[in-house]
Amino acid sequence: MNTVLNIDRSILGQPWRWRLLETDARDPGFAPDDLVTQLLLARGCSRDDIALYKAPSIRGFMPDPSIFQDMDKAANRLADAVVAGEQVAVFGDYDVDGATSAALVILLLRDLGIEARPYIPDRLTEGYGPTGPAMVRLHDEGASLIITVDCGAQAFDALATAREAGVDVVVVDHHKCAAALPLTHALVNPNRLDETDGAAHGHLAAVGVAFLLAAALVRTLRARGYFETRTEPRLLDLLDLVALGTVADVAQLKGLNRAFVAQGLKVMAQRRNIGLNALITASRLTRAPTCSDLGFALGPRINAGGRVGKSDLGVRLLTTCDQAEADAIAVELDRLNEERRAIEAIVQEAADIIAQSKSNRAVLVVAGHGWHPGVIGIVAGRLKEKYGRPALVIAIDDAGMGKGSGRSIPGVDLGAAVLAAKDSELLVAGGGHAMAAGLTIAEDRIALLDDFLSDRLDAAVTRAMGDRALLLDAVLTTAGVNPELVAAMEAGGPYGMGWPQPRIVAGPVRVIKADIVGNGHVRAIVSGDGGGTLKTVAFRAAEGLLGQALLGAPPHRRLWLAGRAKLDDWGTRPSAELHLDDAAWAN
């Protein structure tokens, strides 16, 4: 039986199941008795790959870059530009993946003797991706080669304009491709429909694809003898950027991405990148950044530049050689992040009111006038988490044009659905990948899109929600939730999308004290049957079923608490606390 503690319906209405089934490890002579091995097996690691996954290395996971369509063609074109000293422009996106991808290419080319020009479009005035006028402008200003990163896979008109202007374009992207491809010199994207071996790496963020291109370029130049008179760049020094972009873009932390993040965190701890070092300081981190910090501290600050500030602040920060400039940009990004939070709260409240009236739809499509387009992706993510279904948030401007950003749930490919809507002429533009998508739509087509997405994705959403269960890794007493447990579980990381953090059950416990803190968080001190107390936090739960259960728990009733054990190092002695995902009444 796969049920944990016989709980088929928790306080949040879901069954509790073991993440690791007995059959996952059933093999004569194989007993996964250590915690890390159990965690790896439960997340899909095969028995043969346990050693590789326990110590993820670039050498162990790195494919030959040449397996990707157009990779060698792209590397040769970049090598030609380096040898000839051409003017190169790097056209990126305004999010973290775009900023880190652009910064990686710029820093590599700088090491190779080329000072490439960055170009990040303004979110409000130019929108996402290459435009014809931008391509022509870069060419007129001297660029003979334009490299687009984290964009370009759907830029048919813009890239046709670039070709007419006589400039070569190399596209480095990871978003969903259509069967037809835009006119380019080369298009490197593991999600091309004609990919073969490279398709296995479709989970890479754009910055990961850019790193593979960097490896191919260095190899090409090496074969040409370029490094006989100059030092070869240290590609591994760029892994801090790869780790940041990968985590912030919520790419699945499996395969090569695990090595990128694990090794990138080590590089980041050395604080070699002046801009990243300044951002870590501005984020008030006093220790080496963790995977969680990339997603919740560093990433949002870089994103804030593109969302509510100047779109190029992230790239400028990550590529500057000037300490004073780095410090100033980092402080500005920190300020903009606070501004972003205030704007987000206003849009979130308005979007949630609309979502409540549409909670029976397969996809939550909400739209509003005057919403800031820089925060709609974050709000879509919040709605997705709250309602457990894909969400699309659309900001409508004064001209009646909507900019939309969507977030999906595992098992529901939102990017493919948006591409289908574009093919059905419901959209002005659109694209994305399985878990996220963006689009442009006329206001009078939003209702049609709402019906289109819900009809197309209804079966997939129903399946995904029907399979919903809280997956658990261990059951412990309150005394077992300690710093040693947290350290042991961290050895199975890095954790993130596609490689979920361990979730444990502690209890049974009684609530000693519970109160509301911060922005609707519920903090509870609980006591186990064997004595000892444990601090727990349920984030943004004050008005929900979980928060109300904790706040109103009678002293004689006991609870099982499910969540993620974290290290609390604010005091003089580190202790463990539990960040709650659910709870269930104990018999």
Side-chain angles (χ1 to χ4, degrees):
M1 186 67 176
N2 190 30
T3 305
V4 177
L5 299 170
N6 295 319
I7 294 171
D8 283 313
R9 187 172 180 82
S10 66
I11 285 173
L12 294 183
Q14 57 192 338
W16 289 5
R17 303 281 187 260
W18 290 114
R19 195 186 307 274
L20 176 64
L21 302 176
E22 290 182 8
T23 53
D24 291 338
R26 187 172 295 162
D27 189 1
F30 180 58
D33 54 357
D34 69 288
L35 178 61
V36 175
T37 297
Q38 293 181 43
L39 294 175
L40 295 176
L41 289 170
R43 283 151 184 77
C45 176
S46 69
R47 176 184 173 184
D48 293 338
D49 288 337
I50 287 174
L52 184 64
Y53 272 72
K54 280 188 175 181
S57 66
I58 301 299
R59 182 183 296 272
F61 283 98
M62 184 85 166
D64 181 347
S66 294
I67 67 172
F68 296 90
Q69 298 281 357
D70 278 5
M71 180 67 82
D72 291 339
K73 191 175 181 181
N76 276 296
R77 181 63 186 89
L78 267 66
D80 290 343
V82 169
V83 172
E86 295 181 46
Q87 289 191 42
V88 179
V90 180
F91 190 107
D93 186 20
Y94 32 67
D95 69 358
V96 184
D97 193 19
T100 52
S101 300
L104 185 150
V105 174
I106 290 167
L107 291 176
L108 174 64
L109 290 176
R110 183 180 293 167
D111 274 352
L112 295 171
I114 298 288
E115 193 62 43
R117 174 192 170 174
Y119 188 101
I120 310 296
D122 184 273
R123 179 188 290 267
L124 299 181
T125 61
E126 296 180 89
Y128 166 81
T131 61
M135 297 287 101
V136 171
R137 187 182 317 127
L138 290 172
H139 174 257
D140 290 346
E141 292 173 357
S144 56
L145 173 63
I146 300 173
I147 306 166
T148 74
V149 289
D150 196 28
C151 58
Q154 293 289 319
F156 291 90
D157 293 342
L159 298 184
T161 300
R163 172 161 291 194
E164 291 172 4
V167 61
D168 288 340
V169 179
V170 169
V171 172
V172 181
D173 205 351
H174 70 133
H175 293 99
K176 292 282 185 181
C177 290
L181 297 175
L183 294 171
T184 64
H185 182 86
L187 194 156
V188 183
N189 185 337
N191 288 306
R192 285 175 54 153
L193 295 183
D194 59 349
E195 268 296 350
T196 53
D197 294 343
H201 300 278
H203 59 288
L204 293 178
V207 70
V209 183
F211 183 85
L212 292 173
L213 176 57
L217 171 58
V218 169
R219 182 176 64 183
T220 300
L221 289 171
R222 187 188 305 127
R224 295 188 187 187
Y226 188 74
F227 301 116
E228 292 176 1
T229 57
R230 64 184 302 141
T231 303
E232 188 170 313
R234 282 178 49 85
L235 291 178
L236 296 184
D237 289 350
L238 299 171
L239 287 175
D240 49 1
L241 298 176
V242 182
L244 176 57
T246 297
V247 173
D249 211 52
V250 202
Q252 292 189 42
L253 296 190
K254 64 181 184 180
L256 181 58
N257 279 346
R258 294 187 55 68
F260 279 156
V261 175
Q263 298 305 318
L265 285 170
K266 295 177 183 178
V267 175
M268 194 177 295
Q270 299 169 15
R271 297 199 174 198
R272 295 178 180 176
N273 184 296
I274 292 173
L276 261 181
N277 183 40
L279 189 65
I280 292 169
T281 300
S283 302
R284 293 167 283 282
L285 293 175
T286 57
R287 46 164 173 72
T290 64
C291 192
S292 178
D293 294 327
L294 305 189
F296 295 102
L298 304 182
R301 284 171 169 80
I302 291 180
N303 254 334
R307 292 186 187 281
V308 296
K310 295 180 181 178
S311 59
D312 66 346
L313 285 177
V315 173
R316 287 172 51 198
L317 175 75
L318 298 175
T319 58
T320 185
C321 298
D322 185 305
Q323 185 66 60
E325 181 184 29
D327 293 340
I329 294 175
V331 170
E332 175 69 357
L333 287 173
D334 187 55
R335 183 192 69 78
L336 288 171
N337 192 48
E338 291 302 316
E339 182 180 331
R340 184 269 306 168
R341 288 178 176 173
I343 296 170
E344 176 195 329
I346 295 171
V347 177
Q348 177 72 48
E349 182 178 4
D352 198 33
I353 292 172
I354 300 173
Q356 289 174 19
S357 66
K358 307 178 74 171
S359 58
N360 61 335
R361 303 283 283 177
V363 180
L364 293 175
V365 178
V366 300
H369 287 270
W371 292 355
H372 196 299
V375 301
I376 54 178
I378 301 173
V379 173
R382 298 264 192 240
L383 294 179
K384 181 259 296 186
E385 291 295 330
K386 180 174 182 178
Y387 294 96
R389 64 194 66 219
L392 176 67
V393 179
I394 302 173
I396 306 170
D397 62 22
D398 293 340
M401 193 60 65
K403 296 286 187 182
S405 186
R407 299 294 182 268
S408 194
I409 60 178
V412 181
D413 191 335
L414 184 60
V418 166
L419 278 180
K422 181 184 175 186
D423 291 341
S424 298
E425 300 184 347
L426 289 174
L427 309 178
V428 175
H433 48 79
M435 299 300 291
L439 55 83
T440 303
I441 185 172
E443 182 178 4
D444 60 4
R445 309 288 279 176
I446 292 175
L448 294 174
L449 176 67
D450 190 344
D451 290 338
F452 179 90
L453 291 178
S454 283
D455 290 345
R456 181 181 175 89
L457 296 177
D458 182 68
V461 172
T462 299
R463 276 195 307 273
M465 296 185 69
D467 293 339
R468 189 186 70 161
L470 196 70
L471 301 180
L472 300 160
D473 293 287
V475 175
L476 302 162
T477 64
T478 53
V481 185
N482 53 48
E484 291 75 21
L485 172 75
V486 175
M489 291 192 301
E490 282 301 311
Y495 297 105
M497 176 60 66
W499 199 265
Q501 288 187 344
R503 187 181 285 118
I504 64 171
V505 176
V509 301
R510 290 180 173 83
V511 177
I512 298 174
K513 178 184 177 183
D515 55 1
I516 299 173
V517 297
N519 187 24
H521 312 313
V522 176
R523 177 181 58 191
I525 306 298
V526 302
S527 174
D529 288 348
T533 61
L534 176 66
K535 184 169 77 172
T536 69
V537 183
F539 293 102
R540 295 184 296 274
E543 297 180 1
L545 295 173
L546 177 58
Q548 291 300 305
L550 294 170
L551 293 167
H556 64 279
R557 292 206 69 182
R558 299 184 304 164
L559 285 160
W560 293 104
L561 302 178
R564 291 146 292 145
K566 296 290 184 178
L567 193 64
D568 178 9
D569 52 8
W570 281 101
T572 56
R573 227 171 106 188
S575 61
E577 62 184 22
L578 197 61
H579 293 181
L580 300 182
D581 295 312
D582 201 356
W585 296 109
N587 294 329

